């Protein structure tokens, strides 16, 4: 048996993770969950940290991690979320955030033109550098001269490896997105690394767009993309836009990966959604599809495909939560996926 760490987290995290675990259990694989249900906001309030050294050691001994969501409005201005997510990302060097996006059913697309609804691509986002690296600070606070600086960090090592990862997962083409016409220093580095990476992968079509043009192209011609690769902040924004075009963020899975060690963290991208936590209405499909990514990553390709087909059947039948046009709750949607397996 191989151990998979499970961190349910906060808000709707425990509810959707329970659904994902039921699906994994139904498949009868060699994966055994190790549930760390104490890594949450309550533990942070009591102890000042949510992810201890002992927890990190347990996670290190596992094959992968399935995460629900972490965060709470009352802790928004603390280092709680960063202390969990960034410790995992940096501790395991999970430099590649991979977010596949596909349109599961025509009725879910907000695009009015049916010819524009084709959608099956992936956003590859650099996950450890960029604007979210935490470099910066503020001076002269609470005065008219208050100045805040957040530095966008790009290294040749970090940029080169995320570009190589993007080419490794591409089927047809890779589009690199930046804003080199305005962000000169980092943009120049991305451009140079891009030319080198494209030269190493001549069998894959390579293109480039500035981020504003890429956002417009996603709306007007989403089928033109296969893999988009970009920095941390642009990837954050574009992946949410892509998820909305494909039916909503409740359907969006993600994986944070180290392409060298093979370790991965798998999670839905919807967050904790505290306004609906405990109501039984949370959409579990993002977590279930994240579990499918985990299965695929650990070599269970057939089981991953079966999960995706079951999700597709539930969506097509309208046996889903209200955000996808259905009337079922979390439990009912999970039951529909299980019945289709």
């Amino acid at each position: 048996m191989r151990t998979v760490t499970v961190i349910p987290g906060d808000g709707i995290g425990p509810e959707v993770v329970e659904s994902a675990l039921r699906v994994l259990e139904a498949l009868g694989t060699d994966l055994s969950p190790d549930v760390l249900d104490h890594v949450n906001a309550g533990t942070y309030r009591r102890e000042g940290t949510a992810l201890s050294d002992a927890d990190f050691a347990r996670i290190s001994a596992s094959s992968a991690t399935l995460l629900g969501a972490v965060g709470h409005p009352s802790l928004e201005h603390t280092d709680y979320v960063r202390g969990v997510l960034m410790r995992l990302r940096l501790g395991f060097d999970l430099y590649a955030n991979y977010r596949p996006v596909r349109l599961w059913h025509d009725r879910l697309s907000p695009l009015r033109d049916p010819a524009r609804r084709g959608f099956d691509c992936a956003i590859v986002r650099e996950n450890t550098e960029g604007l979210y690296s935490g470099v910066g600070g503020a001076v002269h606070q609470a005065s008219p001269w208050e100045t805040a600086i957040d530095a966008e960090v790009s290294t040749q090592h970090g940029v080169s490896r995320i570009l190589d990862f993007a080419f490794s997962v591409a089927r047809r083409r890779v589009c690199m997105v930046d804003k080199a016409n305005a962000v000169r220093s980092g943009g120049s580095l991305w451009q140079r690394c891009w030319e080198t990476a494209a030269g190493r992968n001549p069998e894959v079509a390579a293109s480039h767009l500035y981020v504003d043009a890429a956002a417009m192209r996603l709306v007007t011609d989403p089928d033109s993309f296969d893999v988009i690769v970009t920095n941390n902040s642009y990837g954050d924004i574009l992946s949410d836009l892509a998820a909305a075009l494909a039916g909503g963020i409740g359907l969006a899975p993600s994986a944070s990966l180290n392409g060298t060690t093979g370790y991965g963290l798998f999670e839905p991208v919807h967050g904790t959604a505290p306004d609906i936590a405990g109501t039984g209405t949370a959409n579990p499909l993002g977590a279930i599809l994240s579990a499918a990514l985990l299965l695929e990553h650990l070599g269970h390709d057939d089981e991953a495909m079966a999960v995706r087909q079951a999700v597709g059947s539930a969506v097509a039948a309208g046996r889903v939560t209200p955000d996808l046009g259905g009337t079922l709750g979390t439990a009912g949607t999970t039951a529909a996926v299980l019945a289709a397996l």
Side-chain angles (χ1 to χ4, degrees):
M1 298 291 287
R2 287 183 291 176
T3 300
V4 171
T5 300
V6 179
I7 303 176
D10 306 299
I12 64 172
E15 301 169 51
V16 298
V17 161
E18 180 182 357
S19 297
L21 288 178
R22 289 185 63 194
V23 171
L24 289 176
E25 182 181 4
L27 292 168
T29 66
D30 65 340
L31 304 180
S32 174
D34 178 24
V35 181
L36 276 62
D37 53 11
H38 59 277
V39 179
N40 55 32
T43 298
Y44 180 85
R45 290 193 193 93
R46 291 191 305 272
E47 302 178 13
T49 185
L51 186 66
S52 68
D53 292 342
D55 293 329
F56 191 84
R58 281 174 67 176
I59 297 169
S60 299
S62 69
S63 297
T65 294
L66 177 65
L67 172 68
V70 291
H72 192 277
S74 66
L75 299 175
E76 184 176 352
H77 300 294
T78 71
D79 64 353
Y80 164 51
V81 173
R82 185 175 181 82
V84 176
L85 294 184
M86 291 309 294
R87 183 170 189 190
L88 291 172
R89 291 177 186 173
L90 295 177
F92 291 103
D93 197 16
L94 305 177
Y95 64 86
N97 185 248
Y98 175 75
R99 295 190 178 184
V101 189
R102 60 175 287 189
L103 180 61
W104 292 90
H105 196 281
D106 278 352
R107 76 168 191 277
L108 302 180
S109 175
L111 300 178
R112 285 174 287 183
D113 183 357
R116 299 292 187 190
R117 292 178 183 169
F119 213 145
D120 188 0
C121 71
I123 313 290
V124 171
R125 163 188 169 191
E126 203 291 318
N127 214 26
T128 58
E129 299 184 346
L131 199 57
Y132 299 169
S133 59
V135 176
V139 296
H140 309 305
Q141 295 184 45
S143 78
W145 298 275
E146 181 171 353
T147 303
I149 298 173
D150 293 291
E152 182 172 311
V153 177
S154 297
T155 68
Q156 184 176 22
H157 171 69
V159 175
S160 295
R161 68 179 181 174
I162 195 62
L163 294 175
D164 285 340
F165 179 88
F167 277 103
S168 75
V169 298
R171 295 166 297 182
R172 304 181 304 277
R173 51 190 176 272
V174 178
C175 178
M176 193 273 282
V177 171
D178 65 9
K179 192 62 177 170
N181 56 338
V183 184
R184 296 298 177 88
S185 297
S188 175
L189 175 59
W190 275 80
Q191 289 284 331
R192 293 197 308 273
C193 292
W194 171 242
E195 291 178 6
T196 302
R200 286 197 298 267
N201 298 273
E203 72 284 358
V204 179
S207 61
H208 165 262
L209 286 172
Y210 294 132
V211 65
D212 45 353
M216 290 190 291
R217 179 77 64 83
L218 271 171
V219 174
T220 59
D221 191 14
D223 194 41
S224 65
F225 292 106
D226 177 20
V227 170
I228 295 172
V229 59
T230 189
N231 68 18
N232 211 330
S233 54
Y234 298 158
D236 190 3
I237 296 165
L238 292 179
S239 58
D240 280 4
L241 170 60
L245 294 174
I249 203 166
L251 273 168
S254 77
S256 294
L257 305 166
N258 182 305
T260 302
T261 68
Y263 199 85
L265 169 70
F266 302 83
E267 60 180 314
V269 304
H270 50 54
T272 59
D275 55 323
I276 62 169
T279 65
T281 60
N283 184 345
L285 297 184
I288 291 172
L289 290 170
S290 295
L293 279 178
L294 184 152
L295 286 166
E296 188 173 57
H297 183 70
L298 295 180
H300 293 286
D301 293 354
D302 292 342
E303 289 85 350
M305 182 177 294
V307 171
R308 295 186 182 112
Q309 289 174 341
V311 168
S313 296
V315 171
R319 301 184 66 193
V320 289
T321 45
D323 59 307
L324 300 182
T327 59
L328 300 180
T330 309
T333 302
T334 304
V337 173
L338 290 169
L341 269 177

